[in-house]
Amino acid sequence: MTTTAINPHRDPNTLSNYNNFQTTHTVANFEIDFAKRSLSGNVILNLLSISDSETKDILLDTSHLEIKGVTLKGEILSKWQLLPRSEPYGSALKISIEKEAEKGQTLEVDIQLQTTDKCTALQWLTPAQTSNQKHPYMFSQCQAIHARSLFPCQDTPDVKSTFEFNIRSPLPVIASGLPTGISKDSDQGTEKTGATETLLYTFKQDIPIPSYLFALASGDIATAPIGPRSTLATGPEELESCKWEFEADTERFIQVAESLVYDYAWTTYNVLILPASFPYGGMENPVYTFATPTIVSGDRQNIDVIAHELSHSWSGNLVSNASWEHFWLNEGWTTYLERRIQAAVHGEPHRDFSAIIGWKALTDSVDQFGADHEFTKLVINLKGKDPDDAFSSIPYEKGFHLLYHLEKLVGKAKWDTFIPSYFEVFRGRSLDSDEFKSTLLEFFQGDGEVAKKLESVDWDAWFYKPGLPPKPEFDTSMVDVCYQLAEKWKGWTFTGDGDDFEPRAEDIKGWMANQVVVFLERIQDFDRPLSKEAVHVMGQSYGFATSKNVEIVSRYLIVGLMARSEEVLQPTAELLGKVGRMKFVRPL
């Protein structure tokens, strides 16, 4: 792997000196202790010196970790210390070596550790918090800067490492690598701690990945195939229903993505449906996407989340933003590819329909921050800040709109020749926004017509101007019917103009779930709420009150809450009690 010196200021959210050393391989040896809610063991880091005899110190990111010892080349080191905590980034682990490392020299550092109850990367569930209430559960979420609370590392997307996982647990384990075995041999993998027998689960990730893509889950997990190169993992009781939800589209999504970019690199694409407390729609961990159970709705209407997470297999996982200041390079590209998949599978109008929904999310995020806020820019300043504080739909949607604008400007046919080239140029690497710009301009420099068009792009405005980008002309055919029905409800409820309108199930026959979402969000935007009676009629006529689709139910409950309808209070409490996804919890 070719390595070059890295600008030390490219990622402001790490305490590591990755301009001097770069992690090339990581071995994680952990035992999962559900009773203590901790991981214990050691990590072995291969650190390549990319500077020439500049320092005797190795600095690694940690946060709330108990470090028990450090060895170098098998020798115990006494010269290490945890530096004072620097919020929000944790405590740098400073390891002093006897003499400066020469450029190209690799140091093998072995660190003994245990996670603590302040670990921000792990969520522990009691049996009562799982669907069958039989066994505990644990899963990780390392994005953006939480891997440092699992193990000392260079916790930046600007550094990528291959991984080996050796994980001992009393319950099945899933990791962001390809499985290499389960050891039952007492010498290699089966131990008894008290009354609990553990097995050793091993995995290997030969494609270098940044630390935020390190992922583990362990619990009562069963698996079933959902395609020729895909597996679904979830609780045993949910296995069949989840399998049905994904088996029709997963391989088709992969093939469309491959036609847009190039062949899928990670061997298998799998989906783990986590317990309901998972706060996100999905997390693009390599090999295994971690996904919310709210996408399992019994109607296959919400699995476009998988199109998004799958697209990360190229955008984010193979080609990564160099820092979280350039997060749009992960999420803007992924949202763009997701919508191209939607267009190929469902038809071109579906892409603009999804973009219209995204525009509303973008507008809401800008309104929430304020139109002049730093975090409404495409490229943001995160010096001294926690990347999680900047999280919103803005890098997704504003990033999409830059790429959508470039596609329209260049022309789709020519733009489509740039896509695989871009992902090949930066395969296995990280980049910033300026590198994206220069790569695009260089690619088209031989095409005078396109090069001339690209001169019109105001890059400074796209990258650094806060607020909304220019709004394109969308194909509104799929939203117009939603707005028209909402207007009928407005007339029927408020003005008496809808005397000839009688709500019935046929009003939304043939609609996609997202069209219902658009309709309900339009209702929410009325100058005044519906009456309690109208909410009741809507719920009964359209089946919203009994729907299993959380995307629909959550919006309907908001309409009811705005109307102060007592009949939605209990369903709202029940939903909040069983769903942890922030997208639904926060509005309710």
Side-chain angles (χ1 to χ4, degrees), residues 370-444:
D372 295 326
H373 197 282
E374 174 71 22
F375 292 164
T376 68
K377 299 175 183 178
L378 200 55
V379 179
I380 60 179
N381 180 0
L382 283 176
K383 187 174 182 179
K385 299 181 175 67
D386 187 336
D388 285 347
D389 292 342
F391 183 82
S392 75
S393 66
I394 291 168
Y396 296 72
E397 298 299 339
K398 200 168 183 176
F400 162 80
H401 278 285
L402 171 56
L403 299 171
Y404 187 71
H405 171 73
L406 292 171
E407 177 206 304
K408 298 294 185 183
L409 182 67
V410 170
K412 194 172 183 181
K414 290 184 177 180
W415 174 254
D416 281 359
T417 64
F418 171 70
I419 294 174
S421 175
Y422 164 75
F423 282 102
E424 188 58 45
V425 167
F426 290 102
R427 182 197 285 253
R429 297 167 56 196
S430 305
L431 77 155
D432 61 26
S433 299
D434 286 335
E435 288 175 294
F436 165 78
K437 171 188 170 183
S438 62
T439 302
L440 174 67
L441 297 179
E442 181 180 345
F443 181 83
F444 285 114

Side-chain angles (χ1 to χ4, degrees), residues 30 32 39 122 138-141 150 165 167 173-176 203 214-218 272 274 285 290:
F30 287 136
I32 300 173
L39 303 185
L122 298 178
M138 180 278 295
F139 64 85
S140 66
Q141 172 62 33
L150 276 179
F165 305 76
I167 312 299
V173 175
I174 281 174
S176 48
F203 307 84
F214 179 94
L216 294 176
S218 185
L272 170 65
L274 287 164
N285 300 311
F290 285 15

Side-chain angles (χ1 to χ4, degrees), residues 508-546:
I508 59 173
K509 186 176 181 180
W511 281 22
M512 295 181 61
N514 274 341
Q515 287 180 288
V516 176
V517 167
V518 169
F519 162 72
L520 288 169
E521 289 184 342
R522 189 75 161 189
I523 298 286
Q524 293 171 22
D525 288 338
F526 284 174
D527 291 338
R528 50 182 167 145
L530 296 181
S531 66
K532 298 177 183 180
E533 294 74 20
V535 171
H536 175 78
V537 170
M538 180 183 288
Q540 296 301 312
S541 300
Y542 297 160
F544 297 162
T546 56

Side-chain angles (χ1 to χ4, degrees), residues 173-195:
V173 175
I174 281 174
S176 48
L178 295 172
T180 55
I182 303 173
S183 176
K184 298 179 180 179
D185 186 337
S186 60
D187 290 336
Q188 299 181 30
T190 304
E191 289 188 354
K192 288 191 176 181
T193 305

Side-chain angles (χ1 to χ4, degrees), residues 23-215:
T23 309
T24 58
H25 185 64
T26 304
V27 181
N29 303 308
F30 287 136
E31 179 164 3
I32 300 173
D33 190 325
F34 285 97
K36 294 180 179 177
R37 296 193 164 199
S38 71
L39 303 185
S40 61
N42 68 302
V43 291
I44 303 169
L45 306 178
N46 285 0
L47 298 169
L48 177 67
S49 174
I50 57 174
S51 61
D52 195 8
S53 302
E54 286 187 6
T55 180
K56 292 182 179 180
D57 295 326
I58 299 168
L59 298 175
L60 300 173
D61 290 300
T62 81
S63 182
H64 300 301
L65 277 174
E66 181 182 347
I67 305 299
K68 297 187 174 182
V70 179
T71 63
L72 177 65
K73 296 179 182 179
E75 295 184 9
I76 298 175
L77 294 181
S78 58
K79 293 183 178 180
W80 64 266
Q81 61 177 315
L82 283 174
L83 300 182
R85 189 169 179 87
S86 176
E87 296 294 355
Y89 305 126
S91 308
L93 173 61
K94 179 180 176 181
I95 302 170
S96 299
I97 56 180
E98 290 186 359
K99 66 180 225 176
E100 296 90 345
E102 298 177 359
K103 187 173 183 178
Q105 180 181 355
T106 295
L107 304 179
E108 184 179 281
V109 178
D110 187 335
I111 306 167
Q112 301 284 328
L113 66 108
Q114 183 168 337
T115 63
T116 69
D117 58 2
K118 294 182 179 180
C119 174
T120 55
L122 298 178
Q123 184 163 346
W124 301 88
L125 306 180
T126 65
Q129 293 173 301
T130 65
S131 58
N132 65 15
Q133 301 187 354
K134 293 180 180 178
H135 300 282
Y137 203 104
M138 180 278 295
F139 64 85
S140 66
Q141 172 62 33
C142 288
Q143 194 181 46
I145 57 170
H146 300 287
R148 63 192 67 183
S149 71
L150 276 179
F151 58 94
C153 58
Q154 295 177 316
D155 200 5
T156 167
D158 214 6
V159 172
K160 296 186 175 186
S161 163
T162 53
F163 276 84
E164 291 177 59
F165 305 76
N166 303 301
I167 312 299
R168 190 183 301 282
S169 178
L171 294 168
V173 175
I174 281 174
S176 48
L178 295 172
T180 55
I182 303 173
S183 176
K184 298 179 180 179
D185 186 337
S186 60
D187 290 336
Q188 299 181 30
T190 304
E191 289 188 354
K192 288 191 176 181
T193 305
T196 304
E197 183 180 80
T198 63
L199 297 176
L200 183 67
Y201 298 81
T202 60
F203 307 84
K204 197 172 187 181
Q205 182 51 264
D206 288 332
I207 299 175
I209 59 173
S211 55
Y212 78 89
L213 293 176
F214 179 94

